[in-house]
Amino acid sequence: MNNANLYEMNFMGIFYENYVPSDPTARKDYNEWLRGAMYVNDYDSNPALKVSLRALAVTRIGRLTKNNSLVVQGQVAYGNALKLLQYSLWDSQAMYSDSTLAAGRVLSCFEMFESNPSSANGWLGHQGGTARLVYLRGPEKYRETMKTGILDDFRYGLMISSLMTRQRSYLADPEWKTVPWRDTPKSFDDKLYDIGFSLGAAFEGFDDTLRFIDVEEAQTSLDKFTGLERDIRDWFEELAADDPTQALYWTTGSALSGPTYPAYTPNATDSKAQLPPLQFQTLLKAHQTILYWALRIIISALISTCLTFLHNHSAPLPSSIPGSASPSPPSPRHHHTSDTAALQKTLTNQRTHRLHLCALITRSVPYCLSDLWGSVGPSRCIFPLGVAIRELWRKSEVEDCEKELLQCAMELFGSISGGKGFGFAAAIGESADLYDVAPVLPVRYVDN
């Protein structure tokens, strides 16, 4: 083995140890895609993967050690890796190889760290490119264990991209939800991503529904969103029942001995108490739970927007709202002032529940930022925390508790983008409008 290979192996080993969790259980849950890429690199001579791994490892080590020379070397390697990946895509054989797929994933990881802090377009662009890489191979190609591991990791990013861009992904199609798992049972992550892709598909065209005042399509959208609300609640019940001997999460420490966050607990005696951070069974359960809360926030906001839109255009409302903690709105064909008041109460209670979910996400992030979890811990907090921040921004005039919660969430976001070195987090912070999933429509008083 020559000195150049030893040099690259050393950098890759250092990066690997800093990227994956040091906790053995958590490491087993999260190192599949990176181990797969390194394994392919050992037997495949495709230079696109080798240079992509070099770019990622050298740049990250340069950032961690504040060595600008290494950062520059890594960025130069990144530019070369993009060219080599493009050459692979022009090659009729290389474009279908494991190494080309792995190179695309490695460069997506590079963008997660090194995104331009003023724009998420770099990361979103890579998601579009990797989506095409995955699609070209077809779902049958992912039935082998290693390839399914890479697909699982791709699916998380592509689901986020689908939601952020309001565009349907082919991964919402039935064959892409079933064929890769014919020989392997789906994990909780797999099932939750399925719901996320279905949400992205339901999302597409929703802006036009509101813009062109399509009442019939709005009713169809409401049915889709309420169906997804039921699906995701069923998913969470299944997750909680997986280990009935232990709670999924609990409060740690004391409000007097460490940092606290606004709890915003609905229906409590003191709904705005200060509570310590949350603790979880495992890092995997933490990531699954906070993504669940984020998707619940999105679905709830969309349901509220649909209800308001239908009310404002004198359309019938459903007799019950799945997931609503409040009395259901009436369902007459003609709305009166009393109906408007009932709807407003429902919307207010839904909003309060979303604030509670925002608080739960915020209180969960410190657990994920522990050095035990390497770079993996904070990487899966970026999207849920971004959703929470955008929800807290949805009103121009907010109460002091909401302002305080927003400040806490923003400070944690800063810890991820600055302290943990995720450029993507800073980009998302600057692109918060991408999370404005459902406009806040004023409720009109209609008296017929």
Side-chain angles (χ1 to χ4, degrees):
M1 183 176 293
N2 59 39
N3 290 336
N5 287 338
L6 286 171
Y7 176 81
E8 291 196 9
M9 285 182 61
N10 186 44
F11 271 105
M12 199 62 226
I14 295 172
F15 167 74
Y16 182 84
E17 290 302 319
N18 281 276
Y19 180 80
V20 300
S22 58
D23 176 82
T25 302
R27 176 170 292 199
K28 179 171 61 70
D29 290 332
Y30 285 98
N31 68 356
E32 188 71 30
W33 82 265
L34 187 54
R35 285 183 62 190
M38 294 168 69
Y39 170 74
V40 172
N41 187 49
D42 285 342
Y43 72 77
D44 194 307
S45 60
N46 186 342
L49 177 55
K50 294 185 183 300
V51 179
S52 297
L53 285 168
R54 182 192 309 154
L56 176 61
V58 173
T59 304
R60 288 311 302 158
I61 293 170
R63 295 289 188 197
L64 291 170
T65 60
K66 296 181 169 52
N67 186 325
N68 194 56
S69 176
L70 289 179
V71 172
V72 172
Q73 288 181 45
Q75 290 173 337
V76 170
Y78 171 72
N80 292 332
L82 287 175
K83 295 176 184 176
L84 291 168
L85 181 59
Q86 187 61 59
Y87 295 152
S88 295
L89 295 177
W90 290 337
D91 186 308
S92 58
Q93 290 186 323
M95 70 184 300
Y96 297 107
S97 71
D98 293 346
S99 59
T100 298
L101 183 69
R105 176 62 187 94
V106 172
L107 292 180
S108 291
C109 186
F110 182 98
E111 277 292 334
M112 180 76 86
F113 288 111
E114 297 293 318
S115 282
N116 183 333
S118 63
S119 173
N121 290 337
W123 183 83
L124 289 171
H126 267 291
Q127 294 308 303
T130 54
R132 179 164 173 75
L133 277 176
V134 173
Y135 178 77
L136 287 172
R137 297 161 65 94
E140 284 284 350
K141 293 287 187 180
Y142 298 95
R143 291 177 64 181
E144 296 176 29
T145 302
M146 189 279 292
K147 295 170 187 175
T148 301
I150 291 180
L151 177 63
D152 288 346
D153 195 76
F154 267 129
R155 272 168 42 98
Y156 178 82
L158 295 177
M159 177 196 65
I160 302 306
S161 176
S162 174
L163 293 171
M164 289 176 63
T165 59
R166 298 170 166 82
Q167 292 180 350
R168 178 188 177 87
S169 168
Y170 63 85
L171 291 169
D173 296 342
E175 61 269 28
W176 280 97
K177 287 184 174 181
T178 55
V179 172
W181 292 273
R182 281 181 181 165
D183 307 317
T184 307
K186 281 194 172 183
S187 67
F188 285 110
D189 279 337
D190 295 326
K191 295 174 184 177
L192 187 57
Y193 299 165
D194 283 348
I195 295 172
F197 282 115
S198 295
L199 178 57
F203 223 150
E204 190 172 64
F206 184 63
D207 293 335
D208 288 340
T209 297
L210 302 181
R211 184 180 303 113
F212 298 116
I213 315 179
D214 189 335
V215 172
E216 183 177 349
E217 189 59 36
Q219 290 172 322
T220 300
S221 294
L222 179 59
D223 290 340
K224 292 178 181 178
F225 297 142
T226 53
L228 289 169
E229 171 72 23
R230 285 188 291 268
D231 290 345
I232 201 167
R233 287 164 66 87
D234 290 344
W235 175 90
F236 189 68
E237 289 181 6
E238 185 181 349
L239 179 70
D242 185 50
D243 183 2
T245 64
Q246 187 176 11
L248 278 174
Y249 59 92
W250 57 92
T251 297
T252 60
S254 164
L256 301 177
S257 61
T260 60
Y261 304 89
Y264 224 102
T265 306
N267 304 322
T269 305
D270 183 1
S271 64
K272 299 168 187 177
Q274 295 280 327
L275 293 176
L278 297 177
Q279 182 79 12
F280 291 83
Q281 291 181 22
T282 63
L283 178 64
L284 181 62
K285 290 289 179 69
H287 284 161
Q288 290 167 337
T289 304
I290 63 174
L291 177 58
Y292 160 77
W293 287 329
L295 295 178
R296 284 286 308 274
I297 290 170
I298 294 173
I299 294 170
S300 172
L302 289 165
I303 289 174
S304 291
T305 297
C306 283
L307 289 174
T308 306
F309 178 87
L310 292 171
H311 170 86
N312 288 350
H313 294 90
S314 300
L317 300 179
S319 58
S320 63
I321 306 299
S324 174
S326 61
S328 300
S331 55
R333 292 192 175 273
H334 299 286
H335 301 303
H336 300 279
T337 302
S338 60
D339 304 326
T340 302
L343 173 62
Q344 190 66 67
K345 183 176 181 181
T346 295
L347 297 177
T348 299
N349 285 339
Q350 286 183 331
R351 162 72 175 170
T352 300
H353 183 65
R354 292 198 296 274
L355 292 176
H356 173 54
L357 296 177
C358 290
L360 289 174
I361 291 173
T362 303
R363 293 173 58 208
S364 303
V365 172
Y367 172 85
C368 300
L369 296 187
S370 167
D371 290 339
L372 280 175
W373 312 134
S375 295
V376 166
S379 70
R380 296 290 177 102
C381 295
I382 296 171
F383 175 74
L385 191 57
V387 170
I389 288 171
R390 193 56 195 169
E391 177 62 32
L392 292 166
W393 275 344
R394 279 169 62 83
K395 288 197 307 185
S396 58
E397 295 182 6
V398 297
E399 298 179 14
D400 289 342
C401 182
E402 294 171 43
K403 291 179 181 177
E404 185 179 356
L405 182 57
L406 176 59
Q407 181 179 353
C408 290
M410 292 295 291
E411 288 175 354
L412 289 168
F413 219 90
S415 297
I416 297 174
S417 61
K420 296 295 181 178
F422 281 84
F424 177 64
I428 291 303
E430 293 295 325
S431 307
D433 58 300
L434 292 171
Y435 290 104
D436 199 3
V437 295
V440 180
L441 302 179
V443 178
R444 293 207 305 252
Y445 283 80
V446 182
D447 195 0
N448 294 324

Coordinates of all heavy atoms in Angstrom, one line a residue, residues 260-262 274 362 385 403-413:
T260 N -33.5 25.6 31.1 CA -34.9 25.2 31.0 C -35.5 25.9 29.7 O -34.9 26.8 29.1 CB -35.7 25.7 32.2 OG1 -35.6 27.2 32.3 CG2 -35.2 25.1 33.5
Y261 N -36.7 25.3 29.3 CA -37.3 25.8 28.1 C -38.8 25.9 28.3 O -39.4 25.2 29.1 CB -37.1 24.8 26.9 CG -35.6 24.5 26.7 CD1 -35.0 23.5 27.4 CD2 -34.9 25.3 25.8 CE1 -33.6 23.3 27.2 CE2 -33.5 25.1 25.6 CZ -32.9 24.1 26.3 OH -31.6 23.9 26.1
P262 N -39.5 26.9 27.7 CA -40.9 27.0 27.8 C -41.6 25.7 27.4 O -41.3 25.1 26.4 CB -41.3 28.1 26.9 CG -40.1 28.9 26.7 CD -38.9 27.9 26.8
Q274 N -41.7 26.4 32.9 CA -40.3 26.2 32.4 C -39.9 24.8 32.8 O -40.0 24.4 34.0 CB -39.4 27.2 33.0 CG -39.6 28.6 32.5 CD -39.1 28.9 31.1 OE1 -38.1 28.4 30.7 NE2 -39.8 29.8 30.4
T362 N -37.9 21.5 20.8 CA -36.9 22.4 21.3 C -36.2 21.7 22.5 O -35.0 21.8 22.6 CB -37.4 23.8 21.7 OG1 -38.1 24.3 20.5 CG2 -36.4 24.7 22.2
L385 N -36.3 21.1 13.8 CA -36.2 22.4 14.5 C -36.6 23.5 13.6 O -37.1 24.5 14.0 CB -34.7 22.6 15.0 CG -34.5 23.7 16.0 CD1 -35.4 23.6 17.2 CD2 -33.0 23.7 16.4
K403 N -42.3 34.1 22.1 CA -41.0 34.8 21.8 C -39.9 34.1 22.5 O -38.8 33.9 21.9 CB -41.1 36.2 22.2 CG -42.1 37.1 21.4 CD -42.1 38.5 21.9 CE -43.1 39.3 21.0 NZ -43.2 40.7 21.6
E404 N -40.1 33.7 23.8 CA -39.0 33.1 24.5 C -38.7 31.7 23.9 O -37.5 31.3 23.8 CB -39.4 32.9 26.0 CG -38.3 32.4 26.9 CD -38.8 32.3 28.3 OE1 -39.9 32.7 28.6 OE2 -38.0 31.7 29.1
L405 N -39.7 31.0 23.6 CA -39.5 29.7 22.9 C -38.8 29.8 21.6 O -37.9 29.0 21.3 CB -40.9 29.0 22.8 CG -40.8 27.5 22.2 CD1 -40.0 26.6 23.0 CD2 -42.2 27.0 22.1
L406 N -39.2 30.8 20.8 CA -38.5 31.0 19.5 C -37.1 31.4 19.7 O -36.2 30.9 19.0 CB -39.2 32.2 18.8 CG -38.6 32.6 17.5 CD1 -38.6 31.5 16.5 CD2 -39.4 33.8 16.9
Q407 N -36.8 32.2 20.7 CA -35.4 32.5 21.0 C -34.6 31.3 21.4 O -33.4 31.1 20.9 CB -35.3 33.6 22.1 CG -33.9 34.0 22.5 CD -33.8 35.1 23.6 OE1 -34.9 35.5 24.0 NE2 -32.6 35.4 24.0
C408 N -35.1 30.4 22.2 CA -34.4 29.2 22.6 C -34.2 28.3 21.4 O -33.1 27.8 21.2 CB -35.3 28.4 23.6 SG -35.4 29.1 25.2
A409 N -35.2 28.2 20.5 CA -35.0 27.4 19.3 C -34.0 28.0 18.4 O -33.1 27.2 17.8 CB -36.4 27.3 18.6
M410 N -34.0 29.3 18.2 CA -33.0 29.9 17.4 C -31.6 29.8 17.9 O -30.6 29.6 17.1 CB -33.3 31.4 17.2 CG -34.6 31.7 16.4 SD -34.5 31.1 14.7 CE -33.3 32.3 14.1
E411 N -31.4 29.8 19.2 CA -30.1 29.6 19.8 C -29.6 28.2 19.6 O -28.4 28.0 19.3 CB -30.2 29.9 21.3 CG -30.3 31.4 21.6 CD -30.5 31.7 23.1 OE1 -30.6 30.7 23.9 OE2 -30.5 32.9 23.5
L412 N -30.5 27.2 19.7 CA -30.1 25.8 19.4 C -29.7 25.7 17.9 O -28.8 24.9 17.6 CB -31.2 24.9 19.8 CG -31.4 24.8 21.3 CD1 -32.8 24.0 21.6 CD2 -30.3 24.0 22.0
F413 N -30.5 26.3 17.1 CA -30.2 26.3 15.6 C -28.8 26.8 15.4 O -28.0 26.3 14.6 CB -31.2 27.1 14.9 CG -31.6 26.5 13.6 CD1 -32.7 25.6 13.5 CD2 -31.0 26.8 12.4 CE1 -33.1 25.0 12.4 CE2 -31.4 26.2 11.2 CZ -32.4 25.3 11.2

